[in-house]
């Protein structure tokens, strides 16, 4: 029994290490929710979903497997040739070796090319699916998720997955074949020694399972920190002008350093985890080799027995080589474990986005609309962005086809919300909205929005050219059609002054054009599609006087095209509307045309008089204060412009 004490010491060492790791894992497991340790998607589910993207390319992986194994087979043939080596067969042996070397090089090259191309195709398909899914999300979902998070998922996380298909999968299969082959050889040579070596396998499995938990937690934290820093950069690089205006560079740098430091700590945590895991796998290999040498070196080598089975020196040498070949692939897998866990963490983040269910979806029986007259009706519509805070309260109104209707009211009264609900950017909680007598929920979203032309206050232009921004890269429009639309909205005067005309470069967000110029281009972008219903949401709010005259002329033309809905703070721009709906606190206060509302001397009359007085005061004209105006305005004028008030 004393002869086996060293083996018991090895067992005690492994038992102690295992106990420490199990206790550490148990302590962390109790706090996993607080530490963000919980697994959102199981590994099996991740593998299954990734396999769907790899399935169309299974022939490529089979070919790579053949290319990977063929050099090993021919290497074995080479060894058989060299067993009967004679001096006269030297040239044959050299030729065989050279052939194996050339084949190995060619196979490795082809294997690398095929894997890289296949991996990129898989990742490209995954990236397209993520982007397409993001496009299907509602406005509420897009607003709730930072842009930097979406960018990280589409760009960074998909790239992290590519290594899984270009290296890890094939190497994993190769190493499993090698390990299985070595095990069979060891059992054929000496099954008792093979069983002794297999005693170390449970510890390999145990260490791998435990460290998989720790590495997944570390990689999740790293992905979160990467997302956080990308989000911060996306927002603050876009708002750099504001930062510079208020001289907040130092504060923003300090915040960035904090986020950068968090990412640094997360990366360090990964290094620490693998700094323990890799040496432990190597320790198992070293202990297995020591046990083999101890058993084989007891007394004389020849005739040594282990549990009643004789062991020769040749057996020891052969087993030493097998142990090396058995643990080398396992150590290689330990090295690849880093990349595998990184890929799984990224895949988990990506599938979390893909699992977001779009809030705005088509009904199974939704229809396509080929033609729209433009008759709109709201019936008892209630809506809230957050629970228990109603933005619209039992709103009902009807707009006849071809009418121009304006919505006015204070900020937060629900004007823009009405337009968003009409386009199904959000869903109503109660009531219904009808278009040509059809509930908009029964119309396909793409078909519904195709008949609307939206012109917003904050015009977004994409990097590219004026042509690409007007057509949105839709090749069905000719240059003549583009210029016709531009002439209709007076944007042709802008384009004619540009050196390259329609091919003039548009920088990011159109920052090389003024607000008025961007607005004219957005009008052309809308009119070229000839929508039946046009929506203008504060489209003339931040425009200079000269451009405003061009836009007013454009608006008068567009009013004759179809139904037009206008949200405007400048009441002078909506005096010719067929109907003006005045909103307050989510309810309709009054409605009618401009003259009727002035005669009623209600909320619209007060708003109009306030703007009228303000315009005259800005021109420096004396005027009597209208008694219908609010007392706060009277006090403001008395304090700000006392010299203009008549005695």
């Amino acid at each position: 029994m004393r002869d086996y004490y060293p083996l018991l010491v090895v067992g005690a060492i492994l038992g102690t290490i295992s106990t420490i790791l199990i206790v550490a894992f148990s302590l962390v497991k109790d706090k996993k929710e607080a530490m963000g340790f919980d697994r959102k998607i199981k590994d099996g589910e991740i593998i299954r979903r990734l396999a769907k993207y790899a399935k169309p390319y299974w022939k490529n992986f089979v070919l790579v497997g053949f290319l990977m194994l063929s050099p090993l087979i021919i290497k074995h043939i080479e060894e058989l040739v060299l067993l009967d080596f004679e001096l006269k067969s030297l040239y044959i042996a050299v030729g065989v070796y050279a052939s194996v070397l050339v084949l190995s090089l060619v196979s490795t090259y082809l294997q690398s090319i095929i894997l890289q191309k296949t991996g990129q195709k898989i990742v490209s398909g995954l990236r397209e699916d993520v982007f397409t899914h993001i496009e299907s999300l509602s406005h509420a979902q897009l607003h709730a998720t930072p842009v930097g998070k979406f960018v990280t998922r589409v760009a960074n996380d998909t790239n992290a997955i590519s290594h899984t298909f270009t290296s890890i999968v094939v190497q994993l299969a190769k190493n499993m074949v090698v390990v299985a082959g070595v095990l069979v050889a060891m059992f054929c040579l000496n099954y008792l020694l093979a069983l002794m070596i297999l005693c170390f396998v449970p510890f390999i499995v145990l260490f791998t399972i435990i460290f998989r938990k720790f590495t997944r937690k570390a990689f999740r934290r790293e992905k979160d920190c990467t997302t956080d820093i990308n989000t911060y950069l996306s927002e603050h690089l876009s708002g750099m002008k504001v930062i510079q205006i208020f001289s907040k560079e130092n504060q923003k740098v300090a915040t960035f350093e904090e986020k950068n430091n968090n990412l640094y700590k997360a990366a360090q945590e990964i290094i620490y985890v693998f700094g323990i895991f890799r040496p432990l796998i190597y320790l198992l290999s070293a202990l297995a080799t020591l046990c083999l040498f101890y058993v084989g070196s007891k007394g004389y080598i020849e005739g040594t027995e282990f549990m009643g089975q004789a062991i020769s020196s040749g057996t020891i040498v052969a087993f030493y080589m097998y142990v090396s070949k058995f643990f080398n692939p396992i150590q290689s897998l330990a090295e690849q474990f880093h990349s595998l866990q990184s890929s799984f963490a990224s895949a988990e983040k990506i599938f979390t986005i893909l699992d977001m269910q779009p809030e705005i979806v088509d009904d199974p029986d939704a229809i396509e609309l080929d033609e729209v007259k433009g008759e709109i009706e709201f019936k008892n519509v209630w809506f809230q962005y957050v629970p228990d805070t109603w933005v619209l309260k039992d709103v009902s109104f009807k707009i006849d086809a071809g009418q121009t209707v304006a919505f006015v009211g204070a900020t937060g009264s629900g004007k823009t919300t009405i337009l968003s609900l009409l386009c199904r950017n959000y869903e109503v909680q109660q009531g219904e909205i009808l278009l040509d007598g059809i509930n908009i929920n029964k119309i396909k979203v793409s078909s519904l929005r195709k008949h609307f032309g939206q012109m917003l206050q904050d015009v977004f232009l994409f990097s590219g050219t004026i042509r690409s921004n007007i057509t949105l890269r839709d090749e069905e429009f000719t240059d003549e059609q583009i210029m016709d639309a531009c002439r209709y909205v007076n944007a042709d005067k802008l384009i004619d002054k540009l050196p390259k005309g329609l091919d003039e470069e548009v920088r990011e967000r159109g920052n090389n054009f003024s607000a008025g110029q961007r607005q004219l281009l957005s009008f052309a972008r809308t009119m070229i599609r000839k929508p039946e219903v046009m929506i203008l949401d504060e489209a003339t709010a931040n425009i200079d006087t000269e451009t405003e005259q061009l836009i007013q002329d454009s608006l008068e033309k567009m009013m004759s095209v179809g139904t037009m809905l206008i949200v405007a703070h400048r009441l002078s721009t909506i005096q010719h509307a067929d109907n003006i709906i005045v909103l307050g606190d989510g309810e309709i206060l009054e409605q009618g045309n401009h003259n009727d509302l002035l005669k009623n001397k209600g909320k619209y009359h007060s708003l109009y008089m306030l703007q009228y007085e303000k315009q005259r005061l800005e021109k420096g004209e004396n005027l009597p204060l209208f008694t219908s105006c609010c007392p706060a305005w009277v006090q403001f004028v008395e304090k700000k412009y006392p010299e203009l008030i008549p005695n």
Side-chain angles (χ1 to χ4, degrees):
M1 183 65 185
R2 183 178 298 177
D3 292 341
Y4 297 103
Y5 279 172
L7 300 181
L8 295 177
V9 171
V10 170
I13 293 173
L14 293 177
T16 302
I17 294 174
S18 300
T19 302
I20 293 173
L21 292 177
I22 292 173
V23 170
F25 172 72
S26 301
L27 292 175
V28 172
K29 188 176 182 180
D30 293 337
K31 303 177 181 179
K32 66 180 183 179
E33 186 172 348
M35 299 176 66
F37 186 79
D38 53 309
R39 297 172 65 198
K40 299 177 182 177
I41 303 177
K42 294 182 179 180
D43 287 354
E45 178 69 11
I46 292 175
I47 294 173
R48 184 187 66 81
R49 296 179 70 169
L50 288 177
K52 287 172 54 181
Y53 289 93
K55 186 177 179 180
Y57 308 99
W58 67 271
K59 293 181 180 179
N60 293 12
F61 288 106
V62 171
L63 177 59
V64 167
F66 174 76
L67 293 173
M68 177 184 64
L69 295 177
S70 58
L72 299 178
I73 298 172
I74 297 182
K75 177 68 176 176
H76 180 65
I77 296 175
E78 172 211 0
E79 291 174 352
L80 293 178
V81 172
L82 295 179
L83 287 177
D84 299 326
F85 173 75
E86 295 180 4
L87 186 60
K88 63 181 180 180
S89 61
L90 176 61
Y91 294 112
I92 298 176
V94 171
V96 171
Y97 181 78
S99 300
V100 171
L101 181 61
V102 171
L103 182 60
S104 297
L105 292 174
V106 173
S107 298
T108 302
Y109 171 77
L110 293 177
Q111 173 185 329
S112 176
I113 294 297
I114 294 172
L115 279 177
Q116 289 297 330
K117 286 187 175 181
T118 304
Q120 290 305 316
K121 288 179 181 178
I122 294 172
V123 171
S124 178
L126 179 60
R127 188 181 293 120
E128 287 180 6
D129 283 355
V130 177
F131 182 75
T132 302
H133 186 74
I134 292 173
E135 286 184 318
S136 70
L137 300 179
S138 68
H139 284 207
Q141 291 173 300
L142 293 174
H143 291 161
T145 307
V147 174
K149 182 174 182 178
F150 286 134
V151 172
T152 303
R153 299 294 168 265
V154 176
N156 297 46
D157 289 333
T158 51
N159 283 336
I161 293 175
S162 65
H163 191 53
T164 301
F165 297 105
T166 57
S167 177
I168 295 176
V169 172
V170 175
Q171 291 300 323
L172 180 64
K174 176 182 177 181
N175 290 330
M176 289 176 64
V177 171
V178 172
V179 169
V182 171
L183 276 177
V184 171
M186 285 194 295
F187 271 100
C188 292
L189 185 61
N190 189 300
Y191 71 91
L192 288 176
L193 282 180
L195 289 174
M196 183 190 73
I197 299 300
L198 281 181
C199 289
F200 292 88
V201 173
F203 294 100
I204 296 174
V205 175
L206 176 65
F207 294 168
T208 302
I209 291 174
I210 291 176
F211 277 97
R212 184 187 63 173
K213 305 287 186 179
F214 285 101
T215 52
R216 182 64 63 82
K217 167 187 171 292
F219 275 114
R220 279 196 188 118
R221 185 184 174 197
E222 185 205 29
K223 303 299 179 185
D224 289 339
C225 290
T226 301
T227 300
D228 193 25
I229 203 169
N230 284 346
T231 301
Y232 185 85
L233 284 172
S234 175
E235 180 180 12
H236 287 76
L237 289 177
S238 298
M240 187 58 67
K241 291 180 181 179
V242 178
I243 295 173
Q244 293 173 341
I245 289 171
F246 290 95
S247 300
K248 294 296 181 181
E249 293 91 342
N250 292 336
Q251 290 90 329
K252 296 303 178 183
V253 168
T255 305
F256 180 78
E257 287 179 352
E258 179 183 353
K259 296 183 181 296
N260 194 30
N261 190 47
N262 290 338
L263 181 57
Y264 167 74
K265 290 179 180 178
Q268 271 193 325
E269 184 177 343
I270 296 172
I271 294 173
Y272 292 152
V273 170
F274 281 95
I276 298 174
F277 177 64
R278 290 167 181 161
L280 282 180
I281 298 299
Y282 179 77
L283 175 65
L284 292 175
S285 173
L287 290 177
T289 303
L290 289 175
C291 289
L292 174 67
F293 283 152
Y294 173 75
V295 170
S297 62
K298 289 194 306 136
Y300 296 101
I301 293 295
E302 297 296 338
T304 297
E305 291 187 355
F306 175 60
M307 301 184 72
Q309 189 171 8
I311 302 174
S312 65
S313 57
T315 302
I316 295 298
V317 172
F319 256 87
Y320 171 70
M321 297 175 64
Y322 283 141
V323 168
S324 176
K325 289 184 177 181
F326 180 76
F327 278 96
N328 280 342
I330 294 176
Q331 291 182 35
S332 176
L333 290 175
E335 295 293 327
Q336 295 170 349
F337 194 61
H338 176 281
S339 299
L340 185 64
Q341 290 303 308
S342 176
S343 298
F344 276 17
S346 293
E348 189 177 59
K349 297 291 184 182
I350 289 173
F351 292 138
T352 300
I353 295 293
L354 290 175
D355 290 340
M356 292 177 64
Q357 295 299 319
E359 296 177 350
I360 309 296
V361 295
D362 293 329
D363 285 349
D365 57 346
I367 63 173
E368 290 273 358
L369 284 182
D370 296 327
E371 185 179 356
V372 168
K373 296 178 181 178
E375 181 183 291
I376 299 168
E377 184 175 4
F378 275 55
K379 286 186 175 182
N380 308 109
V381 172
W382 291 73
F383 178 76
Q384 57 186 1
Y385 291 104
V386 294
D388 302 325
T389 305
W390 293 103
V391 179
L392 296 180
K393 306 171 186 175
D394 197 25
V395 172
S396 298
F397 60 84
K398 185 174 181 179
I399 302 173
D400 294 330
Q403 274 192 327
T404 297
V405 177
F407 298 89
V408 300
T411 300
S413 59
K415 305 184 299 296
T416 300
T417 299
I418 288 176
L419 304 183
S420 294
L421 293 176
L422 181 59
C423 299
R424 286 195 73 188
N425 296 333
Y426 300 89
E427 297 281 32
V428 300
Q429 279 84 28
Q430 297 179 36
E432 61 178 349
I433 303 173
L434 306 179
L435 176 64
D436 290 348
I438 304 172
N439 191 317
I440 61 173
N441 291 336
K442 299 298 182 181
I443 305 171
K444 290 185 178 180
V445 176
S446 59
S447 176
L448 176 71
R449 293 174 180 170
K450 182 175 64 176
H451 296 283
F452 287 94
Q454 300 186 60
M455 292 161 280
L456 309 178
Q457 176 181 355
D458 184 18
V459 178
F460 193 99
L461 296 184
F462 298 91
S463 300
T465 63
I466 288 180
R467 177 186 284 103
S468 66
N469 271 277
I470 293 176
T471 64
L472 294 179
R473 302 189 184 278
D474 194 335
E475 297 181 358
E476 70 175 77
F477 298 113
T478 64
D479 284 0
E480 184 178 354
Q481 290 175 310
I482 297 173
M483 289 308 301
D484 285 343
C486 291
R487 278 189 288 270
Y488 194 85
V489 298
N490 296 320
D492 59 314
K493 300 177 177 60
L494 162 65
I495 295 174
D496 291 340
K497 295 178 182 179
L498 299 174
K500 296 182 181 179
L502 291 174
D503 294 317
E504 186 72 20
E505 179 188 7
V506 177
R507 294 200 290 267
E508 185 180 9
R509 292 180 174 268
N511 56 28
N512 53 329
F513 293 94
S514 68
Q517 291 171 334
R518 291 197 296 270
Q519 195 61 265
L520 289 173
L521 293 178
S522 78
F523 283 5
R525 175 196 292 170
T526 302
M527 290 306 301
I528 197 173
R529 288 166 174 78
K530 299 178 180 179
E532 289 88 349
V533 179
M534 283 174 290
I535 295 174
L536 279 79
D537 189 358
E538 294 294 345
T540 61
N542 301 313
I543 296 175
D544 57 89
T545 305
E546 181 180 354
T547 307
E548 183 180 2
Q549 293 176 352
L550 294 176
I551 290 179
Q552 289 296 341
D553 181 60
S554 301
L555 291 177
E556 292 180 7
K557 293 180 181 178
M558 288 188 285
M559 285 181 183
S560 61
V561 173
T563 305
M564 177 174 285
L565 310 179
I566 304 174
V567 169
H569 282 299
R570 295 185 185 183
L571 302 185
S572 59
T573 63
I574 59 171
Q575 294 181 19
H576 301 294
D578 299 311
N579 189 26
I580 299 173
I581 298 176
V582 183
L583 296 166
D585 195 24
E587 298 177 300
I588 295 179
L589 302 180
E590 55 183 344
Q591 59 179 313
N593 61 39
H594 175 73
N595 293 328
D596 290 341
L597 290 176
L598 286 181
K599 291 177 183 178
N600 291 340
K601 295 188 180 297
K603 182 66 175 179
Y604 181 82
H605 179 267
S606 298
L607 293 172
Y608 182 79
M609 291 306 172
L610 288 176
Q611 291 192 10
Y612 178 74
E613 288 188 358
K614 183 178 179 181
Q615 290 173 1
R616 294 193 62 183
L617 287 172
E618 289 173 349
K619 295 177 181 179
E621 299 178 6
N622 292 328
L623 71 161
L625 288 173
F626 289 94
T627 56
S628 61
C629 294
C630 61
W633 175 252
V634 175
Q635 294 175 6
F636 169 76
V637 175
E638 289 176 343
K639 183 177 180 180
K640 185 74 174 178
Y641 305 100
E643 71 281 1
L644 300 179
I645 300 177
N647 296 326

